[in-house]
Amino acid sequence: MSTRLVLHSARLLDPGTGAFLAASALAVGEDGRIAALGDDREIRELAGPATPVVDLKGAVVTPGLVDGHVHPVTGAELTGGLDLSGCADLADVREALGREARRLRRGEWLFAWGLDPNVFGDRPVGIAPFDTVLHGVPAFLLLFDAHSALASRRALELAGIDGPRTFEQASAEIVCDADGRPTGLLQEDAACELVERVAPQPTRAERLERLAAALDGMAAAGLTGGHVMDANGASLDLFAELDAAGRLPLRLRVAPWCQPGADAAGVQELIDLQGRGGALWQVAGVKLFMDGTIDNGTAWLERPDCHGESTHAFWPDPEAYTEIIGSLHRAGVPTATHAIGDAAVRHVLDAVATARATGGDPAVRHRVEHIETVPDDTLRRFAELGVIASMQPTHCCDFTRADHTDNWSRRLGEERAGRAWRCRDLVDSGATVVLGSDWPIAPFPPLGVLAGAVHRRPTRDLTQPPHGPEQALTPLEALRGLTTGPAYAAGEERSSGRLALGHRADLTVLAADPLTTPAAELPDVPVLLTAVDGRITHRAARL
């Protein structure tokens, strides 16, 4: 047997059972799959002269951790600007923007990301508080949800934005004051793109290097794969170039977008795109949106929020979405739909039920992304319809508060804020729950995602109370959300997500047991080694 990698003196953790295997070593064949499990001596004997043999000294090996919802290309571009995620109030934001503006040359753009609407308190979200520091500076400030942004007065002028407009995306909006003047707030992609298209863009070479650096960082954090929820611009070509050059350190499953206004030809193009890929990436699925976000008032709720907002779907005609889900289902294409509000989630489940009733392969697995608030009668339908629940627990941790004084909770009111991110209820109802970060919305390190699913406390201050502690997952359930869950969602449960013979050798090696390490300490556990297809993509210096 030709052996690609040998790991020995290890504790091999099976997320299926939550127990360690009897074996202490594994060997990876030349096909990138686990070829042998056994004791140290017998597995070491399988190594050839050129086989890397790594003594793990008792470290824990898990199946490779997979981020169930991530935007690597978008994230690599957006996080190149000023990080506002650490700003706690308007004064902090003004100071950061002023410092950055003074550094810029005349006419140069200021890009920032991670702006939390909670910094505005009870004030309306708009550019006015920053006018004094951005006077004459073209600036584009992305809010943390990446569904809305603030544009400075100069940026609005350069984009020719001087009043409201209508868009194909029903929730897209240029927010204006009572006199029809733009406030600087742009809701959803269609509105944001008006400014983005006049702003300077990175070169292709810069995009490629930023993406490569981001993916290397993910590998170093323990990720071996990601379910990529967009294929905007040149994303697929960038993945292909890195893959061909042997620089792709993660296995990527890519779902391009289907937007409102898509006709039959556009849907067919998405169907025809399925299967495109290389050694470590593949187009597999389609991403759609049923609503926006609660924080900016563009979610779709069964009752309006406290501002009378979040009352309609992303699609002007939700039935057009239902028809497209049916077309994709009959073509054997899995879908992933962004649905945050209760009405949005309900409509997605209804659409999947309609699609399944009209035929097609029952094995096609559809997903709902985010699921931030749902009523009791919605929970059971995930398992009944075989719909995957894809969730990001760190959003609950870092963007809401247990006392419901945050923007998200205030908009919803006590009843709906009290059913935030119902991870526990979905697991108990029999649904397959997949966990992810939604990077760049939240940090991508998977140990932080695992920890957040268990403790549900603000990452920056773990002394604060948890939001909805009754919805916490056990450490084993959280681990499954990054291993067996993503494998099942991809229809690959027979070839990935477990440490078993014939399974892919996508592996994460940790310095401590993630099932017994206290959740508060889990993000600090060293990632010692990461391997994809049995090839090492990250190795700590101490190993």
Side-chain angles (χ1 to χ4, degrees), residues 420-501:
W421 285 269
R422 299 179 72 174
C423 299
R424 155 64 45 221
D425 289 342
L426 280 161
V427 167
D428 288 348
S429 73
T432 296
V433 174
V434 170
L435 302 181
S437 66
D438 198 15
W439 186 77
I441 310 306
F444 58 68
L447 295 183
V449 174
L450 287 174
V454 176
H455 64 57
R456 293 175 70 95
R457 298 174 185 270
T459 304
R460 295 189 191 91
D461 185 0
L462 294 175
T463 66
Q464 295 296 311
H467 189 168
E470 73 282 357
Q471 295 300 331
L473 298 181
T474 67
L476 178 57
E477 290 165 341
L479 181 62
R480 288 171 178 164
L482 290 172
T483 53
T484 58
Y488 181 83
E492 297 174 342
E493 66 272 23
R494 296 181 183 275
S495 61
S496 64
R498 302 285 295 272
L499 298 179
L501 295 177

Side-chain angles (χ1 to χ4, degrees), residues 258-291:
C258 179
Q259 296 274 37
D263 57 14
V267 173
Q268 188 59 50
E269 287 180 11
L270 290 169
I271 294 171
D272 294 341
L273 196 58
Q274 302 301 305
R276 179 185 169 188
L280 289 177
W281 71 278
Q282 185 179 56
V283 175
V286 170
K287 168 77 179 296
L288 305 96
F289 292 80
M290 202 65 247
D291 65 352

Side-chain angles (χ1 to χ4, degrees), residues 84-143:
L84 297 175
S85 63
C87 296
D89 52 33
L90 288 175
D92 285 349
V93 179
R94 276 193 291 264
E95 181 181 353
L97 293 177
R99 187 167 55 248
E100 186 72 2
R102 290 189 294 272
R103 188 187 64 79
L104 299 176
R105 296 185 295 272
R106 183 177 179 82
E108 193 172 359
W109 280 68
L110 189 159
F111 295 98
W113 60 282
L115 179 61
D116 187 342
N118 283 301
V119 302
F120 290 87
D122 294 328
R123 298 180 57 169
V125 178
I127 200 66
F130 315 126
D131 282 342
T132 55
V133 295
L134 294 176
H135 181 66
V137 176
F140 185 79
L141 318 178
L142 193 70
L143 272 73

Side-chain angles (χ1 to χ4, degrees), residues 13-15 17-19 474-477 479 512-518 522:
L13 181 58
D14 176 21
T17 64
T474 67
L476 178 57
E477 290 165 341
L479 181 62
D513 182 356
L515 302 186
T516 58
T517 300
L522 192 54

Side-chain angles (χ1 to χ4, degrees), residues 12-150:
L12 306 178
L13 181 58
D14 176 21
T17 64
F20 289 105
L21 302 181
S24 61
L26 63 82
V28 181
E30 199 51 50
D31 61 356
R33 295 177 181 269
I34 297 174
L37 294 162
D39 63 35
D40 292 356
R41 182 189 57 76
E42 66 179 326
I43 298 301
R44 283 201 306 266
E45 289 177 354
L46 299 176
T51 302
V53 178
V54 184
D55 180 355
L56 295 182
K57 302 180 175 63
V60 175
V61 181
T62 72
L65 303 180
V66 176
D67 191 317
H69 187 123
V70 67
H71 302 272
V73 176
T74 303
E77 293 181 6
L78 295 180
T79 56
L82 176 66
D83 182 3
L84 297 175
S85 63
C87 296
D89 52 33
L90 288 175
D92 285 349
V93 179
R94 276 193 291 264
E95 181 181 353
L97 293 177
R99 187 167 55 248
E100 186 72 2
R102 290 189 294 272
R103 188 187 64 79
L104 299 176
R105 296 185 295 272
R106 183 177 179 82
E108 193 172 359
W109 280 68
L110 189 159
F111 295 98
W113 60 282
L115 179 61
D116 187 342
N118 283 301
V119 302
F120 290 87
D122 294 328
R123 298 180 57 169
V125 178
I127 200 66
F130 315 126
D131 282 342
T132 55
V133 295
L134 294 176
H135 181 66
V137 176
F140 185 79
L141 318 178
L142 193 70
L143 272 73
F144 82 87
D145 62 9
H147 281 254
S148 50
L150 292 178

